Amino acid sequence: MNAESRNKDYSKANRIKIHQPDANKADSFKPSNHIYVRAVDGLWSSVRRRMGWITMLFFLLLPWIPWGERQAVWFNLGEQKFHVFGLTIWPQDLTLLAAVFMIAAFALFFVTTYLGRVWCGYTCPQTVWTFIFIWFEEKIEGARNKRIKLDQMPWNFDKLWRKTAKHTAWLLISLLTAMTFVSYFVPSREVYLDVFTLQASGGIYFWVSLFTFATYGNAGWMREIMCIHMCPYARFQAAMFDKNTYIVGYDPKRGETRGPRSRKVDHKALGLGDCIDCDLCVQVCPTGIDIRNGLQYECINCGACIDACDNTMERMGYPKGLISYTTENKLEDVKEKVLRPKLVGYGVVLTAMILLFIYASATIAPIRMDIIRDRNQLYRENNQGLIENTYTIKILNKTEALHEYALSVEGLSNYEWYGAKTVTVKAGEVLTLPISVAVDPADLTRTVTNIDIKVATTIDGEVVEVKQESRFFAP
């Protein structure tokens, strides 16, 4: 079999297969086998580090941004209010929260269909925290080969202090992560002050401890196990991929047949491809796969193998791009298609969801009113001979200030109102108000009359009113 046909068969066979480890190598996917990730510098590693810094700082600093008398982002579960800067989401508005999750889901589908698993490689918290932990591991225990030797050597003082320092650093990062996460639900100043002064509640200590050890375990010990065996996204990504999706791919037409050689020899004359079989692409991979085996669900598209291979190609004097962000069609010399039905569909739905969310957020009413009719009696005739209906009105003040509300009825003429017509409701409170409406029978032309009960107030100089439909029953 010539090299061209062998490369063609190789590409076809490996287009969708999963990784099959070499029988002579240890199975890197067993939880008992530790992956020693080699450090690498390059374009995509630099992009990933900067994205990691951005997402990490965003996560750490967001709870500390003030907004009036509270923090800007605060999920107040006790009062059932979600504060996101100037927007307050109540339980009655949780459809907005559902919309946020739907937008996030379709954004993930859209980006994955077009660019592959870039979320996993650049912004997933598991990836960000794992690389942070690996950075501390390298600084304390040394480069990859030194870490392997350190784990193989017997315990001595040098090994003891390095391991202690590493795990201490991991635990401190995990503690900071846990306290920051809890700060989204409990005011951040209270969390840090109460925890360190031993004044926090048992619930806060429980959640801080739980998330500390979860972060320590996930980013320190489990790492690629989370991505390969536990994360569902790795499993259903194939439903979003097509042959035009950007993946990290190895070009077998250039690379095969692989093998070591001197930089001074003509490798083409020896029948060798550009791949020198240095295995650096495997050593820098955080999930321990060999990208040369084709498309694999374990690949998180972090681009570390691209940087390692480009550095090798530069040292050898070969063109870069043996491993690159590419598509299956490009690898097979088939014309690529950017616009395809699945990508357009995801984009249309995502755009529609974003527009609907913006409209719904901008039109949230600062007043919520519910009307409950008296279920025990449709109507009664009072002492004045009027037909009277009883209602219970619940008014929710969804603003951050006290307001006065005026109540009225539309749809009835010459009615009598029994109960308060003007009430004051504090910020975030629900007022329950029983009222009765009475009408002279001579003014009623039907047994059931549709009415609107209206609540109006003035907010920032603008009159805001809410109407709720109900029924007035008569003999």
Side-chain angles (χ1 to χ4, degrees):
M1 182 183 294
N2 58 37
E4 182 179 355
S5 61
R6 182 170 62 250
N7 291 339
K8 182 177 180 180
D9 291 342
Y10 173 92
S11 176
K12 181 178 180 180
N14 286 278
R15 189 167 61 214
I16 58 174
K17 79 171 191 176
I18 62 173
H19 176 56
Q20 299 292 336
D22 192 320
N24 297 323
K25 295 182 180 180
D27 183 1
S28 60
F29 302 133
K30 290 183 179 179
S32 59
N33 292 330
H34 181 68
I35 296 177
Y36 296 88
V37 181
R38 185 188 187 103
V40 62
D41 290 321
L43 172 62
W44 302 112
S45 298
S46 177
V47 172
R48 188 184 63 247
R49 281 193 291 267
R50 291 177 182 178
M51 289 295 296
W53 275 111
I54 292 172
T55 53
M56 186 72 173
L57 290 175
F58 182 81
F59 169 74
L60 292 174
L61 298 179
L62 197 57
W64 292 97
I65 299 176
W67 192 270
E69 297 180 356
R70 59 171 173 81
Q71 61 191 50
V73 178
W74 179 22
F75 305 133
N76 188 348
L77 299 181
E79 298 181 7
Q80 297 183 341
K81 293 187 293 186
F82 289 178
H83 300 286
V84 182
F85 293 91
L87 178 66
T88 299
I89 301 177
W90 295 81
Q92 296 83 355
D93 302 317
L94 283 183
T95 51
L96 287 177
L97 193 60
V100 170
F101 289 128
M102 292 177 67
I103 289 172
F106 277 101
L108 193 64
F109 299 160
F110 178 81
V111 172
T112 301
T113 301
Y114 183 50
L115 297 176
R117 294 180 63 185
V118 291
W119 159 261
C120 293
Y122 291 89
T123 55
C124 174
Q126 177 69 19
T127 301
V128 172
W129 264 259
T130 294
F131 277 105
I132 291 173
F133 276 41
I134 290 175
W135 184 87
F136 277 94
E137 193 173 57
E138 291 172 348
K139 295 301 179 183
I140 296 172
E141 294 186 353
R144 179 178 183 272
N145 292 336
K146 290 184 178 180
R147 299 202 302 274
I148 295 175
K149 292 179 180 178
L150 184 69
D151 285 350
Q152 293 174 345
M153 67 186 295
W155 283 96
N156 55 28
F157 177 76
D158 182 66
K159 183 174 181 177
L160 178 63
W161 85 260
R162 290 184 186 276
K163 291 293 184 181
T164 302
K166 180 186 74 173
H167 289 284
T168 301
W170 285 1
L171 283 171
L172 289 175
I173 299 169
S174 302
L175 177 62
L176 176 62
T177 301
M179 294 182 68
T180 301
F181 184 78
V182 173
S183 295
Y184 283 88
F185 301 89
V186 180
S188 53
R189 297 181 186 276
E190 294 181 17
V191 172
Y192 284 85
L193 183 62
D194 291 352
V195 166
F196 289 117
T197 58
L198 303 181
Q199 301 296 318
S201 65
I204 291 179
Y205 281 119
F206 170 79
W207 289 111
V208 168
S209 300
L210 176 64
F211 288 115
T212 296
F213 286 104
T215 305
Y216 173 76
N218 289 346
W221 292 93
M222 300 184 74
R223 293 187 180 175
E224 74 284 349
I225 299 174
M226 291 292 296
C227 300
I228 297 172
H229 299 291
M230 301 179 70
C231 178
Y233 182 42
R235 302 294 177 175
F236 67 76
Q237 64 163 337
M240 290 170 278
F241 274 34
D242 56 42
K243 292 187 177 182
N244 294 288
T245 299
Y246 277 89
I247 58 173
V248 174
Y250 165 74
D251 186 357
K253 295 188 294 295
R254 266 192 60 188
E256 301 299 318
T257 302
R258 66 183 82 155
R261 80 294 303 269
S262 170
R263 285 183 294 179
K264 299 179 180 179
V265 302
D266 182 4
H267 61 287
K268 301 294 183 182
L270 298 176
L272 296 174
D274 286 355
C275 178
I276 67 172
D277 204 19
C278 62
D279 258 2
L280 290 179
C281 56
V282 180
Q283 296 178 24
V284 300
C285 179
T287 59
I289 65 172
D290 189 341
I291 197 62
R292 295 170 297 181
N293 288 339
L295 179 60
Q296 301 152 59
Y297 77 84
E298 299 91 353
C299 177
I300 62 172
N301 274 30
C302 67
C305 56
I306 299 177
D307 290 333
C309 187
D310 282 350
N311 292 339
T312 299
M313 294 297 102
E314 188 174 19
R315 287 194 297 270
M316 296 296 296
Y318 302 162
K320 296 181 180 180
L322 178 59
I323 301 176
S324 64
Y325 282 110
T326 184
T327 67
E328 290 184 58
N329 276 340
K330 188 174 181 179
L331 288 174
E332 296 172 5
D333 296 325
V334 177
K335 184 179 179 181
E336 299 175 272
K337 295 180 181 179
V338 176
L339 296 177
R340 54 261 198 202
K342 183 163 58 175
L343 184 64
V344 173
Y346 285 143
V348 170
V349 175
L350 176 61
T351 303
M353 291 296 301
I354 292 174
L355 293 176
L356 286 173
F357 176 78
I358 293 173
Y359 173 78
S361 301
T363 56
I364 290 180
I367 311 169
R368 171 85 181 195
M369 178 176 63
D370 291 313
I371 300 174
I372 304 173
R373 279 190 46 84
D374 185 356
R375 301 183 184 278
N376 296 321
Q377 190 177 35
L378 290 179
Y379 65 89
R380 71 183 181 91
E381 185 176 342
N382 64 18
N383 296 332
Q384 289 79 32
L386 304 179
I387 303 301
E388 184 177 328
N389 284 203
T390 302
Y391 308 87
T392 300
I393 300 176
K394 291 188 176 183
I395 302 173
L396 169 61
N397 180 1
K398 295 164 66 176
T399 69
E400 299 294 316
L402 180 146
H403 287 287
E404 187 177 83
Y405 299 89
L407 295 92
S408 60
V409 175
E410 294 181 352
L412 294 173
S413 59
N414 301 321
Y415 66 86
E416 295 288 338
W417 180 285
Y418 300 109
K421 295 199 70 174
T422 303
V423 294
T424 301
V425 186
K426 296 180 180 179
E429 286 195 349
V430 178
L431 174 71
T432 301
L433 177 67
I435 63 103
S436 294
V437 177
V439 181
D440 191 320
D443 295 327
L444 295 171
T445 59
R446 61 190 71 177
T447 57
V448 180
T449 304
N450 293 330
I451 64 171
D452 290 321
I453 296 180
K454 183 174 70 174
V455 174
T457 188
T458 302
I459 300 176
D460 297 329
E462 182 180 351
V463 177
V464 179
E465 63 181 36
V466 173
K467 295 180 181 180
Q468 180 81 29
E469 186 182 30
S470 188
R471 304 287 186 272
F472 186 90
F473 288 87

